[in-house]
Amino acid sequence: MSNLINKKCEPCSSNTPKLTLNEVQNKLLEINDWILNDNHEMIFKKFKFKNFKQSINFTNLVGNLAEEEGHHPDISLGWGYCLIMIHTHAIKGLSNNDFILAAKIDNINQQNQ
């Protein structure tokens, strides 16, 4: 399990360092099956569930986590899925916070299976 789940997201601003592509590729190795978008500005993952209720329950857990971390993903959900898209809005790219949040979301998913 990644040590990212033991870290805390830090407040972001336009001065937050944007990760280089090399740094992003290394961080992707620390999380489970997240995908980097074509512009290298966002990571995303589609979580699959057996029904809508499981999708919404997972989404609510992710929402609670986002509030605790002060770092909020974009979320799309429907019957049997929840798509999580993460990036740091203030820098229009990826920061350490994005990978911390992704690792913690993976941890939520593992605990609820």
Side-chain angles (χ1 to χ4, degrees):
M1 185 180 303
S2 173
N3 68 351
L4 290 170
I5 64 167
N6 297 320
K7 296 184 177 181
K8 177 92 172 124
C9 290
E10 297 179 10
C12 298
S13 73
S14 59
N15 296 324
T16 299
K18 187 186 283 193
L19 297 176
T20 67
L21 180 56
N22 189 48
E23 290 171 322
V24 167
Q25 290 171 333
N26 286 332
K27 292 266 185 208
L28 281 168
L29 299 174
E30 296 183 55
I31 55 179
N32 298 324
D33 302 320
W34 288 78
I35 300 167
L36 180 64
N37 75 340
D38 292 341
N39 295 332
H40 306 151
E41 296 175 344
M42 176 187 296
I43 56 174
F44 63 94
K45 184 173 179 177
K46 188 174 188 178
F47 294 86
K48 296 186 179 180
F49 302 96
K50 293 180 181 173
N51 54 49
F52 186 78
K53 184 176 182 181
Q54 288 179 348
S55 299
I56 196 77
N57 287 342
F58 177 75
T59 301
N60 287 331
L61 291 170
V62 171
N64 290 337
L65 171 65
E67 282 297 301
E68 289 171 18
E69 292 295 323
H71 195 60
H72 301 88
D74 296 319
I75 301 173
S76 175
L77 77 135
W79 193 96
Y81 78 90
C82 177
L83 174 64
I84 308 284
M85 299 156 283
I86 306 174
H87 68 285
T88 301
H89 299 268
I91 60 172
K92 296 181 175 67
L94 291 163
S95 72
N96 285 322
N97 286 348
D98 301 308
F99 293 90
I100 292 168
L101 189 63
K104 290 184 177 194
I105 291 169
D106 281 340
N107 191 49
I108 287 172
N109 188 49
Q110 289 171 356
Q111 291 177 349
N112 287 294
Q113 288 189 357

